[in-house]
Amino acid sequence: MKVTYHKVYSDNLQRDMEYKTYGHQGKPVLVFPTSCGRFYQYEDSGMIGTLESYIEQGQIQVWTCDSMDEETFYAKDSTTDEKMKRHDQYDAYVKNELIPSILHQSKENNGGQTQKILATGCSLGAYHSANMFFRHPQYFDSLIALSGLYSTNRFFGEEVPPSAYYHSPLHYLKNLEDDFYLNHYRNSKIIICTGQGAYEDLMRSETQKLLEVLQEKHVPANVEFWGHDVNHDWYWWKKQILYYMNWCLS
């Protein structure tokens, strides 16, 4: 398997950002780590190994990026507005720096063929992947979000602060009427999955709410609730990503 490491200075974040790529060609897949996770977490947790056959066969090429959670949602000495300002900068980094690099490299690796990105992640990485997908659908055509939260309620309470509104999918999607966004969603493959076992209660609740919002907007989505023995951990996420990747690529 071809593996490359990258460390690139971000103008939006005013710091170096690191990421790795796995594979030589195929559909571009952008992976967001769990809470405060690093770019190497997906490999260290066995997810790259789980997807090895897809990568080796040139069906997918994976980009694993860094999070900024310690400077945003988990920043201890920052106000809500300061946290969300930093999160806006992270969003701008992904949209204006990382995604263009992915699309450029993917086009080169696939004989000039332009492909949209599959976004994915587990736990808070599912939140990040879903938020990026819903905010910037022009760059994505697939989403696999596993055991995620889809609002900022856990961090800021039930009353979403104005600075967090457009990063809280359950809030902004409910009021969204723009056909530019809705038509992109309707022509994408959307997978939202959670277990019903230990540490999945809040994820199950928000997944159900997201299902209801998508149904109200007539957005097709494959939303599934796995069994009561399915916990919030890598053992199950490996099984889920393998199960859903085949569907996304078909």
Side-chain angles (χ1 to χ4, degrees), residues 27 42 47 50-51 54 60 118-121 142-147 189-195 207 221-227 230 236-250:
K27 184 168 188 60
Y42 211 64
M47 297 291 272
T50 298
L51 296 172
Y54 291 102
I60 62 173
L118 187 164
T120 189
S142 307
L143 170 67
I144 304 177
L146 306 176
S147 298
K189 293 184 176 181
I190 300 174
I191 295 170
I192 313 291
C193 174
T194 186
T207 296
N222 184 6
V223 180
E224 295 193 347
F225 301 84
W226 285 31
V230 179
W236 288 106
W237 295 332
K238 291 174 191 175
K239 292 180 179 294
Q240 290 164 354
I241 194 65
L242 197 60
Y243 179 81
Y244 291 119
M245 186 61 70
N246 186 59
W247 184 80
C248 268
L249 295 177
S250 62

Side-chain angles (χ1 to χ4, degrees), residues 163-178:
S163 58
Y165 177 84
Y166 287 108
H167 289 291
S168 190
L170 284 178
H171 293 92
Y172 66 73
L173 288 176
K174 187 174 183 179
N175 297 313
L176 180 64
E177 301 294 342
D178 191 327

Side-chain angles (χ1 to χ4, degrees), residues 117-163:
I117 299 169
L118 187 164
T120 189
C122 309
S123 193
L124 195 62
Y127 159 80
H128 285 303
S129 63
N131 191 43
M132 288 291 174
F133 173 88
F134 290 124
R135 282 173 56 87
H136 310 298
Q138 64 270 36
Y139 302 116
F140 302 96
D141 64 3
S142 307
L143 170 67
I144 304 177
L146 306 176
S147 298
L149 296 172
Y150 304 106
S151 77
T152 59
N153 291 357
R154 176 185 175 188
F155 301 101
F156 307 127
E158 292 294 325
E159 293 296 325
V160 61
S163 58

Side-chain angles (χ1 to χ4, degrees), residues 81 110 150 215 217 239:
D81 287 349
N110 289 282
Y150 304 106
Q215 288 176 334
K217 299 298 179 181
K239 292 180 179 294

Side-chain angles (χ1 to χ4, degrees), residues 40-55:
Y40 46 76
Q41 180 196 59
Y42 211 64
E43 178 181 354
D44 289 354
S45 299
M47 297 291 272
I48 292 297
T50 298
L51 296 172
E52 182 176 6
S53 62
Y54 291 102
I55 298 170

